[in-house]
Amino acid sequence: MGFPGTWMTTSESMVYRVVPKCACSTIGQIMYYSDNGAFFDGDIHDADHGLHKWAFDASQPVISANVTEHKSFAFTCVRNPYSRILSSFFDKICGIQRNGRRYRGNLVPMLIQKYGVDVGGEDGTAEFDQIASFRRFLLFARDTIKWRKPMDPDIHWSSMSGHISTFIVNGGRYDRIFWTECFNDGMQSVLDATQSTHPIALTEVPRFNESEGHGPKRAYPIEDYFDDLSKHLVYEIYKPDFELFRYDFENPANKMPIGEIDLDEVHAKLGE
């Protein structure tokens, strides 16, 4: 299986396991800058040079050799499951993508028909009940993850633990896992532990939020989207994410972690 979703600087200074909706655009741009002295002009997910990616055939043996021998500092980044699934909904389901079309073609029409999800009309600009629509999407997300019906889960709402575990199961080991909510501190700890060709000041890095502006703005506080049933659906889907990465299941209003991540525990539980 190898190391899907893994990016590495061309200098092999650091290895990153991408977790969608967890600051991956910004992290990728920082890695690109550290080797090339400039940010990639465009969405870093489209970059086909200046960065090793598992998706490139030529990069796979280089990444495999590095990760299996743990030659470089390896890390990833996580996010509160409540805000992550909400972000996926507004970006991927309600939003028009950068190609000018809906995400994954017939996905949104199917959600409208089978789950009664409303996305604000053809162009996403009409008023709609965001809370009711999101809760219906949440049922769909649960169905895809628990039963792989009516489709396999999408990478943007499949669990962080699932993404992170493939790296471990196939022979990798993380040196750091940090929280999106404490991004500068976490990313700085990675930079402090690695040697960059082009040093970078995090305070001067723009936030490369490639999903910004794709969909309607969230109209309410995060906690308003999650009633008791929604909370239990989220816990059913993301229980390991809450437990391993120390997020507060009881209070959706609290986006901050409530404890420290135990890397040994993560490797033990996700490496089984």
Side-chain angles (χ1 to χ4, degrees), residues 19 22 74-81 160-161 164 168 173-183 186 189 240-248 255-270:
V19 180
C22 299
F75 72 98
T76 192
C77 180
V78 294
R79 181 179 183 180
N80 186 295
M160 296 181 291
S161 298
I164 288 168
I168 300 169
R173 184 169 182 87
Y174 295 101
D175 298 292
R176 187 74 38 83
I177 298 175
F178 64 88
W179 303 290
T180 306
E181 293 79 12
C182 306
F183 182 83
S189 71
D241 290 355
F242 282 106
E243 294 178 347
L244 287 174
F245 310 126
R246 306 297 193 254
Y247 285 109
D248 186 355
K255 69 177 183 178
M256 300 304 290
I258 53 176
E260 294 299 317
I261 295 172
D262 183 334
L263 280 179
D264 288 335
E265 179 190 16
V266 171
H267 287 95
K269 290 188 173 177
L270 296 186

Side-chain angles (χ1 to χ4, degrees), residues 122-187:
E122 285 292 320
D123 59 0
T125 60
E127 291 291 322
F128 68 102
D129 187 332
Q130 292 187 356
I131 292 174
S133 190
F134 168 72
R135 289 175 182 172
R136 291 177 177 189
F137 164 71
L138 194 56
L139 285 169
F140 163 75
R142 187 276 309 269
D143 291 350
T144 66
I145 289 168
K146 297 292 286 187
W147 298 297
R148 311 187 84 83
K149 294 179 179 179
M151 58 178 277
D152 283 351
D154 185 89
I155 61 170
H156 297 92
W157 58 79
S158 54
S159 72
M160 296 181 291
S161 298
H163 288 291
I164 288 168
S165 67
T166 61
F167 189 84
I168 300 169
V169 168
N170 291 309
R173 184 169 182 87
Y174 295 101
D175 298 292
R176 187 74 38 83
I177 298 175
F178 64 88
W179 303 290
T180 306
E181 293 79 12
C182 306
F183 182 83
N184 277 7
D185 288 345
M187 193 69 220

Side-chain angles (χ1 to χ4, degrees), residues 63-270:
I63 291 174
S64 284
N66 185 296
V67 174
T68 53
E69 296 178 31
H70 203 169
K71 292 179 182 177
S72 305
F73 192 90
F75 72 98
T76 192
C77 180
V78 294
R79 181 179 183 180
N80 186 295
Y82 285 118
S83 59
R84 181 171 176 260
I85 187 71
L86 258 181
S87 176
S88 295
F89 171 69
F90 281 106
D91 172 17
K92 299 301 176 188
I93 305 306
C94 300
I96 304 299
Q97 305 307 297
R98 63 181 187 272
N99 62 9
R101 295 191 287 272
R102 289 285 185 185
Y103 182 61
R104 292 185 65 158
N106 64 357
L107 171 62
V108 172
M110 182 269 288
L111 278 173
I112 293 170
Q113 180 185 7
K114 290 192 173 182
Y115 287 83
V117 171
D118 192 343
V119 295
E122 285 292 320
D123 59 0
T125 60
E127 291 291 322
F128 68 102
D129 187 332
Q130 292 187 356
I131 292 174
S133 190
F134 168 72
R135 289 175 182 172
R136 291 177 177 189
F137 164 71
L138 194 56
L139 285 169
F140 163 75
R142 187 276 309 269
D143 291 350
T144 66
I145 289 168
K146 297 292 286 187
W147 298 297
R148 311 187 84 83
K149 294 179 179 179
M151 58 178 277
D152 283 351
D154 185 89
I155 61 170
H156 297 92
W157 58 79
S158 54
S159 72
M160 296 181 291
S161 298
H163 288 291
I164 288 168
S165 67
T166 61
F167 189 84
I168 300 169
V169 168
N170 291 309
R173 184 169 182 87
Y174 295 101
D175 298 292
R176 187 74 38 83
I177 298 175
F178 64 88
W179 303 290
T180 306
E181 293 79 12
C182 306
F183 182 83
N184 277 7
D185 288 345
M187 193 69 220
Q188 189 61 58
S189 71
V190 172
L191 295 176
D192 289 346
T194 56
Q195 188 70 43
S196 297
T197 306
H198 300 277
I200 190 167
L202 286 179
T203 54
E204 299 172 10
V205 176
R207 283 291 173 265
F208 294 91
N209 187 355
E210 300 298 346
S211 64
E212 188 71 31
H214 280 187
K217 295 289 186 187
R218 178 164 54 82
Y220 308 100
I222 286 176
E223 59 270 24
D224 287 7
Y225 293 83
F226 299 95
D227 61 1
D228 191 57
L229 175 60
S230 301
K231 283 177 60 180
H232 283 281
L233 282 173
V234 169
Y235 195 61
E236 181 184 356
I237 302 169
Y238 300 120
K239 183 174 183 279
D241 290 355
F242 282 106
E243 294 178 347
L244 287 174
F245 310 126
R246 306 297 193 254
Y247 285 109
D248 186 355
F249 159 69
E250 297 295 339
N251 182 12
N254 176 28
K255 69 177 183 178
M256 300 304 290
I258 53 176
E260 294 299 317
I261 295 172
D262 183 334
L263 280 179
D264 288 335
E265 179 190 16
V266 171
H267 287 95
K269 290 188 173 177
L270 296 186

